[in-house]
Amino acid sequence: MSITINPAATVFHLQTDHTSYIVEILPNQTLGQVYYGDRIPVKDAYPNLTAREERGGTPTWHDDLPDFQPELVKTEYASFGKGDYRYPAFQLTQPNGSRVSEFVYQNYQLTADKQRLPKLPSTFDDTQDDAQTLTITLKDRLTGVLQHLNYAVFPHQDVIVRSATFENPTATAVTLNTAYSAQLDLPDDRYDFLQFAGDWARERHLYRNRLRPGSQSIASLRGASSAQENPFMMLARPETTETQGSAYGLNLVYSGNFNDSVEVNQFATSRVLIGINPTEFAWNLVPESTFQTPEAILSYTSAGLNQLSQQMGDFYQHHLVNSKFANQERPVLINNWEATYFDFDEAKLMTIVRQAHDLGIDMFVLDDGWFGHRNDDTTSLGDWVTNQPKFPQGLSHFCDQVHALDMQLGLWFEPEMVSKDSDLYRAHPDWLIGDPHAELTPSRHQFVLDMSRKDVVDYLAQRISQIIDETHLDYIKWDMNRNITEAFSHQLEATSQLELAHRYILGVYDLYDRLTQAYPDVLFESCASGGGRFDLGMMYYAPQAWTSDDTDAVERLKIQYGTSYGYPQAMMGAHVSAVPNEQNGRITSLTTRGAVAFFGDLGYELDITQMTPDELQQIKEQVAFYHQYRPLFQFGKFYRIDSPFASDGNLTSWGVVAPDQSQGIFGRYQLLNHPNAPYQRQFFQGLDPKRQYTVNGGAEHFSGTELMAAGYFVPSLKPVKGYSSDFSAQLFIVEAV
Ligand code: DGJ
């Protein structure tokens, strides 16, 4: 049993293989947090963990309970207005305008499963991996509204999934102004906050800062989870490293506006909140309706940050990613975007396709520009019909030729967008998001469709389905290249406009849901100018994501290393592109570009018709090598070893190890080559200490212990005349004998 309830039914102890999460009913009948951390034995009560002492200057709940001071109590889902001045987990406005709530415990329900949520991407337990769900119901004495706090326990990945459901069984509407997915009240503030931030082309760089008094947060108000801040966060003890120490990981199964905050109050406690951003949000909880928050994933380990990433990644693979693709090897693709941009026609594409076929590449992806009369980024978004001048015999004629070569085919869409120069805009100007009296702010010459409207989702589902039927495509790259401005829906009432941001993302999920249900064999890759919507909501529908538009191998070290904290490598699209690199002009070798891109879902994004025979031969060998080790690269356990965010960042190394520890491949990347340098050794991780291994097929045998504890000697790079020895990469293939 993962969930134990004491005989008085007042304490709920949720246990995973290595963690405990304990909740109790407090003297005021609200729900209190007792403990979250390393697994501890079950007891009937935990007075030591909730000990209280009266403090001055802060309200008490009641004269009879002088030491029950809301600001000092650890709670599960706090309201505002009853003496707890920290940011609340939820806020309701009553019909009379009061924002006070008094939710009290009613009952609980326990089930031996984990059901999906309706209309939202969510976790599941299809493989019957011992998940259990606890729902604790509270009722507001003031309005009669019900609050269901949901906890799903996934014991084997040390994950607890939380969400809240608000239900209004009364005849009167109330407004939900704030509704986070989860709250965690940690008893002290001795933590580092690890966040993954950046911007377009430098997504998810790691920032690690000590918590300070006050509120600190990462958030998005862009209508998407964003490239600037990612909803994934870690809280780690300052001494925690990759391989040891305590850390919590929190993430949100959501792709829209979010807020993850940590508030350190005057008593040095840390309140963590994760969920929908309360700014640009309010929900009319009309009679007989419910509101469901997205799910928050919580995980804890005392074995370091790398373990935390691995257990969360393992959890997503088993309980979040579309099961059909979770373990399915992903195709090596070639994408024509950086090869041709908009300048292509069927004949030009077919030369690339044939060449790619000769190189052993599995799939051709036709990117932006195949529809309407799109020859640049000013037109045709929304008109999902063949660009006739580019495909005079029809798009399906081209697609049939790709399939005839026994290659898979992928197609780019940007479903949520519309160009003003489009038949769709001319027919339905009111389908755009935008205040009718304001001047709409363009971005990349395009505007956002109102995905909260069913007619918009119906139109897109119909158009995209027709293209899938005609082309029999195998993969869709779903792009999204701008964020929402002038948020206003022509269809929503004035009092419901603050529902738009959430309704928008529900519409996106509805479209994904319809398409993935109707075409279960089509692999989706989510994209948002690269990594602008790299989140767990997307991952539920699209098992892989385009990690960043920045394809420079050196830049990718930080981007992929940072991303690996929160997301498994099978989610990361990683392409070899041309040099000088399109984004920063850097020249790196094909070897280095390949050695970085191997640690993700490999693709090529360059004009292979312009390459030398030697370069083509090298690509052919890279593709064959990746095919040979593909399960290891995509699904092996990922180890971060040398961080590009550490010291001068000159060295990065990482590796993947097979679950049975029989094989591992490690990548080592050096930016600048220094002459007369100190001796260097590559340390490996994840091997079986007792087994014997070879390195790169050499004759010498090494124990796992030797390779992990003493490392492997790495000779310095000798410059070769005429070639740069900077930006080098080495791979170490470690195999058990
Ligand atoms: C942004 C994407 O990230 C690129 O890969 C490419 O698909 C372009 N959009 C096309 O407009």
Side-chain angles (χ1 to χ4, degrees), residues 200 335 337-338 341-342 367-369 374 377 381 412-414 444 446 477 479-481 527-531 546 548-550 575 605:
W200 174 80
N335 179 306
W337 178 242
E338 286 196 19
Y341 293 106
F342 295 104
D367 211 279
D368 195 353
R374 188 152 163 106
D377 60 13
L381 290 170
W412 179 97
F413 287 89
E414 196 175 1
R444 209 198 189 202
Q446 64 192 55
K477 176 177 174 183
D479 207 345
M480 196 280 293
N481 285 304
C527 174
S529 304
W546 181 222
S548 173
D549 271 353
D550 192 340
H575 296 179
E605 190 160 338

Side-chain angles (χ1 to χ4, degrees), residues 225-492:
S225 50
S226 91
Q228 288 73 15
E229 306 273 0
N230 190 275
F232 176 63
M233 63 178 282
M234 285 172 157
L235 283 178
R237 290 298 192 192
E239 63 275 14
T240 296
T241 66
E242 289 288 356
T243 53
Q244 56 188 13
S246 298
Y248 298 92
L250 293 100
N251 208 342
L252 198 59
V253 188
Y254 194 57
S255 313
N257 293 342
F258 74 92
N259 190 25
D260 298 0
S261 68
V262 187
E263 181 180 4
V264 175
N265 77 352
Q266 71 274 35
F267 300 111
T269 66
S270 304
R271 168 166 294 172
V272 186
L273 292 170
I274 179 167
I276 295 176
N277 198 321
T279 300
E280 280 293 297
F281 172 81
W283 197 267
N284 296 303
L285 199 62
V286 298
E288 306 299 327
S289 73
T290 58
F291 179 83
Q292 172 64 53
T293 72
E295 289 185 338
I297 314 289
L298 280 61
S299 193
Y300 168 84
T301 184
S302 54
L305 303 176
N306 209 127
Q307 169 61 31
L308 189 56
S309 299
Q310 285 178 359
Q311 68 196 39
M312 294 183 87
D314 188 43
F315 173 74
Y316 305 143
Q317 197 180 343
H318 288 95
H319 301 291
L320 183 70
V321 178
N322 178 345
S323 318
K324 170 158 195 325
F325 293 101
N327 299 306
Q328 187 170 303
E329 290 178 35
R330 311 288 163 70
V332 177
L333 62 85
I334 183 150
N335 179 306
N336 72 305
W337 178 242
E338 286 196 19
T340 65
Y341 293 106
F342 295 104
D343 182 18
F344 61 82
D345 59 15
E346 178 171 329
K348 188 168 180 179
L349 294 180
M350 278 313 297
T351 59
I352 299 177
V353 171
R354 284 193 205 94
Q355 183 85 271
H357 176 254
D358 291 347
L359 299 177
I361 290 172
D362 306 312
M363 178 162 76
F364 176 80
V365 177
L366 173 52
D367 211 279
D368 195 353
W370 59 265
F371 51 91
H373 57 276
R374 188 152 163 106
N375 293 317
D376 58 34
D377 60 13
T378 61
T379 75
S380 303
L381 290 170
D383 293 348
W384 302 109
V385 291
T386 304
N387 188 324
Q388 283 301 329
K390 288 181 179 171
F391 298 97
Q393 299 180 76
L395 183 64
S396 42
H397 179 263
F398 167 70
C399 299
D400 289 348
Q401 290 182 77
V402 177
H403 281 137
L405 287 170
D406 219 14
M407 282 180 77
Q408 296 173 48
L409 173 91
L411 212 52
W412 179 97
F413 287 89
E414 196 175 1
E416 301 152 68
M417 299 294 152
V418 63
S419 310
K420 282 207 171 162
D421 177 16
S422 68
D423 292 341
L424 184 68
Y425 175 72
R426 286 182 279 273
H428 299 285
D430 58 329
W431 280 12
L432 260 68
I433 284 182
D435 178 338
H437 306 296
E439 208 170 301
L440 300 194
T441 310
S443 183
R444 209 198 189 202
H445 317 287
Q446 64 192 55
F447 297 87
V448 185
L449 283 173
D450 183 353
M451 297 295 288
S452 75
R453 296 176 67 125
K454 184 172 172 301
D455 47 6
V456 169
V457 176
D458 287 347
Y459 164 80
L460 292 169
Q462 187 275 329
R463 286 307 315 140
I464 296 172
S465 300
Q466 191 170 334
I467 299 284
I468 299 175
D469 292 340
E470 282 168 15
T471 61
H472 308 294
L473 54 79
D474 307 282
Y475 158 109
I476 286 179
K477 176 177 174 183
W478 180 319
D479 207 345
M480 196 280 293
N481 285 304
R482 69 155 291 176
N483 293 133
I484 294 172
T485 53
E486 292 88 24
F488 181 89
S489 167
H490 293 260
Q491 204 173 54
L492 290 173

